[in-house]
Amino acid sequence: VPEDLKLVNAIAAGGWHSLALQGDGRIRAWGRNDFGQASVPGNLGEVIAITAGTWHSMALRRDGTVRAWGNNNHGQRNVPSGLNNVIAIAGGAQHSLALREDGTVRAWGRNNKGQSRVPNNLDEVIAIAAGGYHNLALQKNGKVIAWGNNDQGQTNVPATLDRVIAISAGGYHSIALQEFEDGTRNL
């Protein structure tokens, strides 16, 4: 971690690199930089969120647009033309996700396991997570939708899983945090 890093508002961990978003909107990066994933481009504008894939990085700007840098061997940093009104981003192994203000999800990059093929009629999404080769979407009703690689059961969402308030995806697993009426929480 850089010694002069301070006033951090957000962090992200990639395959072998890390990002930090400072209070002044600047992104700091460190770790491996084989593909430029830790070489933050200038002129990003006002950054409000960051994410790191295995070998690429992304920034969400206050104007709802996305910038990406690093490895592009599968188009994971080729932000789709016209993508705007974005409120959240997520980076997977070699793919990327964006959640738009209208609750829809866009995906791009590698699609060898169906990870960049957003399920039909996926709407009312309030949060996203990208794993190695799979994704999760949390809908407004507290339900989780998963798609992509399922080699380890990472997209097998239990039928009884509801009241979810947070999701996260690892390389080959998924987790969800539930909150019940009495205020208790469960993973």
Side-chain angles (χ1 to χ4, degrees):
V1 177
E3 287 184 26
D4 62 340
L5 184 63
K6 52 187 155 190
L7 302 174
V8 174
N9 288 341
I11 56 174
W16 289 270
H17 72 290
S18 301
L19 303 175
L21 176 59
Q22 296 183 153
D24 62 3
R26 287 187 313 135
I27 299 172
R28 299 286 302 275
W30 63 98
R32 291 195 50 179
N33 196 28
D34 309 63
F35 299 98
Q37 68 270 27
S39 294
V40 180
N43 303 320
L44 284 176
E46 292 183 64
V47 175
I48 59 171
I50 53 175
T51 190
T54 301
W55 300 105
H56 73 291
S57 302
M58 296 193 315
L60 173 58
R61 300 182 331 176
R62 184 169 304 288
D63 67 1
T65 61
V66 177
R67 292 276 308 270
W69 62 97
N71 192 344
N72 198 36
N73 62 336
H74 292 283
Q76 62 267 39
R77 71 169 201 220
N78 291 345
V79 178
S81 176
L83 181 64
N84 56 22
N85 299 320
V86 174
I87 59 171
I89 52 177
Q94 296 166 323
H95 71 286
S96 302
L97 294 178
L99 172 60
R100 297 185 65 195
E101 190 174 59
D102 65 2
T104 61
V105 176
R106 294 285 306 268
W108 63 96
R110 191 167 191 185
N111 194 39
N112 64 320
K113 301 288 185 175
Q115 67 269 36
S116 292
R117 191 176 317 114
V118 178
N120 291 333
N121 302 318
L122 179 63
D123 61 3
E124 296 191 334
V125 175
I126 60 172
I128 54 175
Y133 298 92
H134 74 288
N135 303 304
L136 304 174
L138 173 59
Q139 294 182 299
K140 190 164 105 176
N141 64 4
K143 295 286 188 179
V144 176
I145 305 297
W147 70 98
N149 186 23
N150 196 35
D151 290 355
Q152 305 296 316
Q154 62 269 42
T155 63
N156 292 341
V157 178
T160 58
L161 184 66
D162 62 1
R163 301 176 191 245
V164 174
I165 61 170
I167 54 176
S168 189
Y172 292 92
H173 70 289
S174 302
I175 58 174
L177 179 63
Q178 294 176 285
E179 184 172 65
F180 299 99
E181 289 176 14
D182 64 1
T184 59
R185 293 182 174 187
N186 184 41
L187 275 178

